[in-house]
Amino acid sequence: MTFEVDYLALAPELIVAATMIVVLTLDLILPRPQKFWTATVSVAGTALALVPLAVLAIDGEARAMFDGSYVVDEFALVLKGLFLISAYVVFLMSHNYIESDRYYQGEYYFLLLASVLGSLVMASSRDLIVLFIGLELVTGPLYMLAGWRKGDVKSNEASMKYFILGVLSTAILLYGLSLLFGLTGEVQFGALAEATAGRAGEPMMVMAVLFAIVGFAFKVSAVPFHFWAPDTYEGAPTPITAYLSVNSKAAGFVAMLLVMYLALPGLSEIWAPALWLLAALSMTIGNLSALRQTNIVRLLAYSSIAQAGFMLVPFAAAATTGADLEEAFAATVIYLVIYAVMNLGAFASVIAGARITASGELGAWAGLGKVEPRIGLLVAVFFFSLAGIPPLAGWFAKFIMFRAVMGSGASATVALAVIASVNAVVALYYYAKVTKSVWLDEPMGFPGDVTTPPAGSLRLALGVSVALTVVVGFYPALTTFVGDASKVIALGG
Amino acid sequence: MMEWFDSWGLTVIVFLPLLGALVMGFIPSGNEDGLKRTALVASGLAFLASIYLVLQFDFGASGYNQYQFEVTETWIGAINASYHLGVDGISLPLLVLSTFIVVLSVIYSWNHWDEPYNPKAFLILMMILATGMNGTFVALDLVLFFIFFEVVLLPMYFMIGIWGDKTPRRIPGFRKEYETRLYAAIKFFLFTLFGSAFMLLGFLALYFESGDVSGVRTFDIPTLTELGATGAFTDPTFAFLVFGALFLGFAVKVPMWPLHTWLPDAHTAAPTVGSVLLAAILLKLGSYGFVRISLPILPDEAMSWAPAIAILAVIGIIYGSLACLAQTDMKRLIAFSSVGHMGFVMLGIATLTDVGINAAIIGMVAHGLITGLLFFLAGSMSHRYHTREMSRLGGNIKLLPIIGGILAFTAMASLGLPGLAGFWGEFMSLVGSYNPLSGLPLGVFRTSMVLGAVGTVLTAGYMLWMLQRVNLGEPSAEWTDHDLGDADRYELASWVPLIVLIVVIGLYPRLVFNSTTEAVTSMVEMVFGS
């Protein structure tokens, strides 16, 4: 074993870790009115971490460390970029939100940075142990953050539900991974792939894979392991909900992608049908439940469950034939990136709107567009993008997902494509319901703060996400590099 | 200038309105004149450019799969989708129709606004809509086609939803009453999206199949057309499923019976200009899709689907006419008449002959002009009377002689009076179905022809009945103290060009056929070998 450390490759992680320590120290030193500096430092630290990332990307060389357990290649860089940028947007969204309610700012940013660090580690992990540590570092701090609105019973419930189900799923996941280790004696993905090839018939192997899938399904809130999501999303502070539905979900997906495609490609006959079922159930049940929601955050919670289903579709499809593994891999990653952008935007617009409506109930949002046309416009853009209506970015995510499915031509996957397209139509109904409230209904007066514009940081968050949503919608070729980077790993891994 | 226009002219026509919308975004909503002028300039320039396009169009070289003013740029390299635009004899008249109607709509909008006013938002939506419509007619790449096809949904959804009819109505199956606009807007959106979701699956299936057949996966319509003519997509299950998927997408848009139920609601609820654009152009996106994509790429499958399409078309004709006879609301009657007229268009397409498809295209153009005008008139009348109930509108021609006169003229055009534009589409599509493509079941088509002919009688019936109820008789006493005011100059400015064109095309149909005949005939020859 060699322990040569490539400090440039680790620079993003190191910077985030250093920021964590600075934030904690600042929180000790600064008097209460000055605590907003912790937020500024967090934002700056995340932005700074992007610099070595860019250097590494320009350098373009894949760097492997710790016997190949920790790899910084194009794929890892793309995901780290995604995690950092979306964390950056979440920080911007938090800035005002947290300050206005006098929460414990220092700890808040410390924990959130810890979670970001976990996602960075996870993107580079190429063995089960590093992957597990990364994934748990992502979720651990979130158990606390979900309950950050201490005075609110719903927030306590959010935290409790998330914690109990999260720990349960961690245990199940760990059990599955340990079975894998026990059966093969390997933890590294490459070695696992060799050791598991052709062993799909072994009952223990089936159990190991299914346990792992159940564990991941909890993390990405796929049906039927989604029950924590709506309550947690509703109760948690909205920026944390955004983080849960984007970063933490993406982390779960990346972990699942890595394990399935890199470590267990030979067992696709086990995981593919399981994922087929998860995809179909998540899309359908997520959408049908979303139809009945009257609270905008709960609606987004169910929408994110349904979106998880759409993201699972390429997984399920590739596996039935095995031929187009790399297409499917790229499709899910592209979907993930576009979803992150538009979902963060949706949450940012909800935060901006909720300042005026002072409520998450759709009824209170009636006619918002007439009072605040700009916020109304943003709501329309993000929600229709989530619905996949061109020319907003969401169409390309759906398109690339359908493309991955239709490629195989097998009847099971075409059936899944049909289920997905019916679901895309159903989904439109509830996304349009939000727009209907905002634009089509008559305003009934707003109790909240109508006069002051949203804070600068929130406007920046909105600006970044709306620009990306529109530009990618018109010129989706921008996401090609994501696909290319993903293909590299699917081929080379 | 010329060379530049050759490659970028279509881009200009498609994106000028969108550019106008962008500019309008920066004009404060108080500056109404500025907003209206910008919209007029953007749509007017697009229209002039399309006229210039017609003048430069080489009618001699518009044969099968030959496109002019082509531009091909890489767009999404990873999936081999390109920014490919081009125009041929089939799409040319429809493109001009689209740019033309948009200009007239802007002029009409000058002083006609439905509640809640807000010209800025309305005009911006109209411009986005124009880009989507123009783009669909010239897109030569399936992905691009899909995008333009879908771009029209959002603006139309908002037009209906915000400016639409606010009367509360009980929707069958619901306990509560809903405002008509809310129900109609989402119904329109869901129906169209349902169809186009399947259409997209069909496009993707074609894309992958083209890779298996030719080695290169492509969304390029001309390439796929070539492959289709050489019998590349003849695997029965594959072709059946793909044609079916495309059929769903296009038939909802046309709309064909029994997928038409969104149409009466949407047309009735939409604000005047919304109804005009819906009827005049949006419906044509569907029937154009059949001619541009379904028939040439999947000819064998088109043969087996043709009788079914013909039967559905005829049901549409009869059903639409009978439904018209049951209406009390003038706008809803016009909406249902669209179902019938589009039935004739689809019957023409189903014959798979040059006569039938030519009939379909001139039918589309005529329906665009005539029904567009009818919706303008219905809108202007309900602005004045604040009702669309025909029982209360009697004697209209005495109160509003100009509007009443134009209404009488347009109704005559709509029922297919020889010498006016509506005649050619109906007549030739019936002629075509007497003699469909050899190999098609003669019985089905001749029966369709007879039933279609009955349909023309019914059309005459409901149109005359509408005229009788609306125009004739004595005006109701409730209007005696109202100063209704006849057509103003903005109304006339947007209607007179339509009237002129209806007469000109009626007397000189070659204006359209000149453009279409060559392209249609050679397509039918090459694709169906007749």
Side-chain angles (χ1 to χ4, degrees):
Chain A
M1 270 212 179
T2 53
F3 281 99
E4 272 175 53
V5 177
D6 182 342
Y7 285 102
L8 177 59
L10 284 180
E13 285 89 337
L14 292 175
I15 291 176
V16 171
T19 316
M20 281 166 64
I21 295 167
V22 174
V23 165
L24 212 52
T25 323
L26 277 179
D27 190 44
L28 277 177
I29 304 168
L30 292 173
R32 175 153 280 183
Q34 298 293 315
K35 298 237 191 226
F36 66 88
W37 280 106
T38 53
T40 317
V41 169
S42 307
V43 170
T46 333
L48 191 65
L50 285 166
V51 177
L53 208 64
V55 174
L56 287 164
I58 292 165
D59 178 49
E61 188 193 341
R63 296 150 188 261
M65 277 169 282
F66 311 119
D67 276 347
S69 289
Y70 203 85
V71 175
V72 179
D73 55 7
E74 248 184 282
F75 174 71
L77 289 178
V78 166
L79 289 174
K80 286 180 189 195
L82 169 72
F83 288 132
L84 280 175
I85 292 173
S86 45
Y88 179 77
V89 175
V90 171
F91 283 130
L92 290 179
M93 281 155 63
S94 308
H95 200 304
N96 213 244
Y97 189 93
I98 292 298
E99 205 178 15
S100 61
D101 277 355
R102 300 206 298 156
Y103 293 120
Y104 299 86
Q105 289 189 57
E107 288 88 339
Y108 177 92
Y109 289 107
F110 171 76
L111 288 172
L112 206 48
L113 280 167
S115 178
V116 175
L117 180 62
S119 57
L120 295 183
V121 170
M122 218 232 4
S124 277
S125 65
R126 294 296 177 270
D127 86 22
L128 293 179
I129 297 172
V130 182
L131 179 111
F132 181 75
I133 292 172
L135 197 55
E136 284 317 300
L137 190 51
V138 173
T139 35
L142 293 174
Y143 299 141
M144 283 173 269
L145 287 171
W148 216 246
R149 287 163 48 207
K150 288 183 191 168
D152 189 342
V153 186
K154 281 195 170 174
S155 192
N156 297 340
E157 184 192 349
S159 176
M160 209 55 201
K161 265 198 178 151
Y162 187 35
F163 176 66
I164 292 175
L165 287 173
V167 170
L168 178 68
S169 76
T170 304
I172 295 173
L173 174 65
L174 198 55
Y175 187 45
L177 298 186
S178 65
L179 280 179
L180 276 179
F181 173 66
L183 288 167
T184 59
E186 300 287 351
V187 286
Q188 275 203 2
F189 293 163
L192 264 171
E194 279 171 34
T196 54
R199 292 175 65 181
E202 292 176 25
M204 281 309 280
M205 204 57 106
V206 176
M207 228 165 92
V209 175
L210 289 185
F211 271 114
I213 287 181
V214 170
F216 288 129
F218 266 108
K219 303 270 177 211
V220 302
S221 64
V223 176
F225 309 105
H226 66 288
F227 292 103
W228 60 273
D231 292 330
T232 305
Y233 280 25
E234 192 188 353
T238 316
I240 294 303
T241 308
Y243 188 85
L244 276 172
S245 76
V246 174
N247 286 48
S248 132
K249 185 181 288 258
F253 259 103
V254 171
M256 177 141 88
L257 277 169
L258 289 172
V259 171
M260 296 306 154
Y261 282 141
L262 293 187
L264 309 170
L267 301 182
S268 65
E269 31 191 310
I270 304 174
W271 52 261
L275 292 178
W276 193 100
L277 202 64
L278 281 184
L281 283 177
S282 299
M283 287 187 288
T284 313
I285 295 182
N287 273 332
L288 293 181
S289 318
L291 288 178
R292 316 254 332 151
Q293 301 308 317
T294 54
N295 181 296
I296 199 163
V297 179
R298 279 186 89 82
L299 187 144
L300 277 173
Y302 281 105
S303 122
S304 91
I305 293 169
Q307 298 275 0
F310 285 119
M311 285 180 234
L312 282 168
V313 166
F315 271 89
T320 36
T321 57
D324 274 337
L325 218 59
E326 65 175 279
E327 296 280 359
F329 194 77
T332 304
V333 178
I334 290 180
Y335 200 117
L336 210 50
V337 170
I338 294 178
Y339 165 79
V341 170
M342 58 195 187
N343 213 41
L344 282 175
F347 275 107
S349 67
V350 167
I351 292 177
R355 293 161 43 81
I356 297 165
T357 61
S359 160
E361 289 300 312
L362 271 178
W365 284 62
L368 181 66
K370 282 166 190 142
V371 183
E372 265 295 335
R374 268 175 295 181
I375 293 177
L377 187 65
L378 289 167
V379 170
V381 165
F382 292 124
F383 279 79
F384 278 123
S385 181
L386 281 169
I389 306 297
L392 303 165
W395 81 265
F396 191 66
K398 291 251 159 49
F399 180 87
I400 209 82
M401 179 268 294
F402 279 125
R403 178 169 172 272
V405 206
M406 293 300 286
S408 76
S411 49
T413 56
V414 174
L416 194 58
V418 171
I419 296 175
S421 46
V422 172
N423 269 299
V425 181
V426 174
L428 170 75
Y429 182 78
Y430 60 81
Y431 290 125
K433 202 163 88 172
V434 176
T435 329
K436 172 193 159 268
S437 264
V438 171
W439 281 106
L440 273 47
D441 289 345
E442 289 305 320
M444 298 193 286
F446 295 104
D449 182 359
V450 189
T451 43
T452 42
S457 52
L458 185 60
R459 277 191 301 206
L460 184 59
L462 284 165
V464 171
S465 31
V466 81
L468 283 172
T469 305
V470 173
V471 171
V472 169
F474 273 95
Y475 193 65
L478 285 177
T479 59
T480 311
F481 77 95
V482 178
D484 290 344
S486 318
K487 281 178 190 168
V488 171
I489 194 178
L491 290 174
Chain B
M1 170 69 191
M2 252 317 289
E3 269 172 36
W4 177 85
F5 194 83
D6 267 348
S7 46
W8 292 104
L10 287 176
T11 307
V12 169
I13 295 174
V14 172
F15 286 103
L16 251 180
L18 192 65
L19 186 71
L22 269 183
V23 172
M24 273 147 58
F26 292 100
I27 300 177
S29 45
N31 183 3
E32 279 176 28
D33 271 349
L35 288 163
K36 290 172 188 167
R37 288 205 183 107
T38 315
L40 185 65
V41 168
S43 57
L45 283 178
F47 172 63
L48 289 181
S50 70
I51 293 296
Y52 184 69
L53 190 85
V54 174
L55 297 177
Q56 299 298 325
F57 192 83
D58 182 357
F59 289 95
S62 87
Y64 164 72
N65 219 7
Q66 270 183 321
Y67 303 93
Q68 300 181 29
F69 300 95
E70 267 185 279
V71 54
T72 316
E73 297 288 330
T74 314
W75 177 40
I76 317 175
I79 54 169
N80 196 17
S82 53
Y83 176 74
H84 189 180
L85 302 182
V87 67
D88 71 347
I90 296 172
S91 48
L92 186 67
L94 296 169
L95 178 66
V96 178
L97 175 76
S98 165
T99 56
F100 182 56
I101 298 281
V102 172
V103 178
L104 299 184
S105 300
V106 173
I107 296 174
Y108 180 84
S109 296
W110 219 265
N111 64 346
H112 291 80
W113 299 101
D114 290 275
E115 284 305 312
Y117 203 55
N118 197 350
K120 177 173 175 175
F122 193 84
L123 287 171
I124 288 181
L125 290 177
M126 207 200 287
M127 292 299 109
I128 299 174
L129 198 58
T131 290
M133 298 183 303
N134 296 350
T136 310
F137 289 131
V138 294
L140 289 181
D141 180 281
L142 290 180
V143 181
L144 201 59
F145 179 91
F146 172 76
I147 295 299
F148 283 128
F149 197 81
E150 298 278 276
V151 161
V152 300
L153 296 183
L154 277 185
M156 192 44 87
Y157 167 77
F158 282 115
M159 269 191 190
I160 300 174
I162 297 179
W163 288 272
D165 184 358
K166 292 182 182 54
T167 345
R169 198 155 71 85
R170 237 193 112 242
I171 312 301
F174 291 84
R175 229 174 316 142
K176 276 199 299 182
E177 281 197 335
Y178 289 91
E179 286 184 32
T180 316
R181 62 184 172 120
L182 300 179
Y183 173 71
I186 193 67
K187 191 175 182 183
F188 159 78
F189 208 155
L190 286 175
F191 262 74
T192 324
L193 197 73
F194 177 79
S196 50
F198 283 95
M199 182 180 85
L200 180 63
L201 292 189
F203 286 175
L204 281 165
L206 280 175
Y207 166 76
F208 284 109
E209 188 73 5
S210 74
D212 293 349
V213 176
S214 71
V216 186
R217 291 173 182 172
T218 180
F219 286 112
D220 195 50
I221 294 177
T223 317
L224 288 169
T225 305
E226 246 169 64
L227 287 173
T230 55
F233 307 119
T234 43
D235 175 62
T237 345
F238 170 83
F240 177 81
L241 287 177
V242 172
F243 197 97
L246 300 188
F247 177 84
L248 267 183
F250 298 141
V252 167
K253 201 85 169 179
V254 168
M256 292 186 71
W257 187 90
L259 301 168
H260 68 281
T261 60
W262 64 268
L263 179 136
D265 289 315
H267 280 218
T268 314
T272 305
V273 169
S275 315
V276 170
L277 293 173
L278 251 179
I281 307 162
L282 288 202
L283 304 189
K284 277 75 194 174
L285 303 186
S287 42
Y288 172 75
F290 275 105
V291 179
R292 170 64 69 233
I293 296 170
S294 299
L295 298 194
I297 296 180
L298 297 159
D300 290 2
E301 203 54 33
M303 294 267 290
S304 28
W305 279 72
I309 295 179
I311 292 168
L312 291 181
V314 166
I315 296 178
I317 296 172
I318 302 286
Y319 173 88
S321 316
L322 291 178
C324 282
L325 287 168
Q327 300 308 318
T328 56
D329 179 324
M330 179 174 166
K331 207 169 171 190
R332 210 170 165 81
L333 184 148
I334 302 170
F336 268 110
S337 82
S338 283
V339 177
H341 285 124
M342 290 311 281
F344 281 105
V345 169
M346 289 313 297
L347 180 61
I349 292 175
T351 63
L352 304 180
T353 57
D354 50 350
V355 179
I357 296 174
N358 264 320
I361 295 165
I362 200 169
M364 289 186 228
V365 173
H367 177 258
L369 300 172
I370 296 167
T371 310
L373 184 49
L374 278 176
F375 274 118
F376 271 136
L377 291 163
S380 281
M381 284 171 63
S382 66
H383 264 286
R384 289 172 170 77
Y385 293 106
H386 300 287
T387 179
R388 302 185 308 246
E389 282 302 311
M390 288 186 281
S391 52
R392 290 173 61 195
L393 295 176
N396 171 55
I397 204 161
K398 286 188 181 151
L399 294 169
L400 307 171
I402 303 178
I403 290 183
I406 299 177
L407 182 66
F409 165 84
T410 322
M412 291 301 161
S414 181
L415 63 81
L417 194 74
L420 296 176
F423 170 72
W424 297 105
E426 292 189 6
F427 174 70
M428 282 176 51
S429 106
L430 292 179
V431 171
S433 48
Y434 180 76
N435 213 355
L437 186 69
S438 63
L440 290 179
L442 218 50
V444 171
F445 279 88
R446 295 215 170 142
T447 318
S448 300
M449 186 194 77
V450 174
L451 290 173
V454 174
T456 58
V457 177
L458 288 174
T459 309
Y462 67 74
M463 275 297 165
L464 293 172
W465 187 54
M466 178 195 83
L467 277 185
Q468 186 202 342
R469 282 191 292 175
V470 171
N471 260 1
L472 306 182
E474 280 306 312
S476 141
E478 61 180 311
W479 310 119
T480 37
D481 294 332
H482 287 68
D483 180 22
L484 296 166
D486 214 337
D488 61 36
R489 58 200 169 111
Y490 294 109
E491 288 173 327
L492 288 177
S494 52
W495 297 345
V496 169
L498 287 172
I499 298 172
V500 171
L501 262 181
I502 291 171
V503 175
V504 170
I505 292 182
L507 296 176
Y508 188 69
R510 285 193 54 189
L511 199 63
V512 177
F513 289 145
N514 240 349
S515 163
T516 61
T517 309
E518 174 78 22
V520 170
T521 316
S522 59
M523 177 184 98
V524 170
E525 262 172 31
M526 292 295 295
V527 174
F528 301 107
S530 72

